[in-house]
Amino acid sequence: CPANNNVLLNNTSRKNRVDGLRIDDGCEDNDLKKNVATGNGVFDMNDQNATCDNNTWQNNTFNTSNQGCIN
């Protein structure tokens, strides 16, 4: 996966056709903090890894997500 060990901090993603912020399966050790994603087509925040694996989602603002480990 080309998206390992990244930090996404203070980003805004609104009104996209699919997902606002998405981490694909196999992408790990990413920190997503203080981001805003609202009004996106499928999910505002989406982590395709089972139970978010080693990705950290903290203090984000969103309406929809695909997992309870996203916050």
Side-chain angles (χ1 to χ4, degrees):
C1 176
N4 292 318
N5 300 307
N6 294 289
V7 175
L8 278 77
L9 177 66
N10 293 322
N11 296 285
T12 301
S13 177
R14 292 190 173 118
K15 299 182 180 178
N16 292 290
R17 285 186 323 167
V18 186
D19 297 319
L21 297 175
R22 176 184 168 129
I23 301 293
D24 286 332
D25 188 32
C27 299
E28 299 181 353
D29 299 314
N30 297 292
D31 292 324
L32 296 94
K33 299 177 181 178
K34 299 182 181 179
N35 298 292
V36 175
T38 56
N40 295 289
V42 178
F43 290 110
D44 291 327
M45 298 197 174
N46 185 342
D47 193 323
Q48 293 292 299
N49 295 281
T51 64
C52 296
D53 284 342
N54 294 327
N55 296 313
T56 302
W57 298 78
Q58 292 180 328
N59 301 317
N60 296 292
T61 301
F62 58 97
N63 294 319
T64 61
S65 68
N66 71 321
Q67 296 199 57
C69 49
I70 297 172
N71 58 62

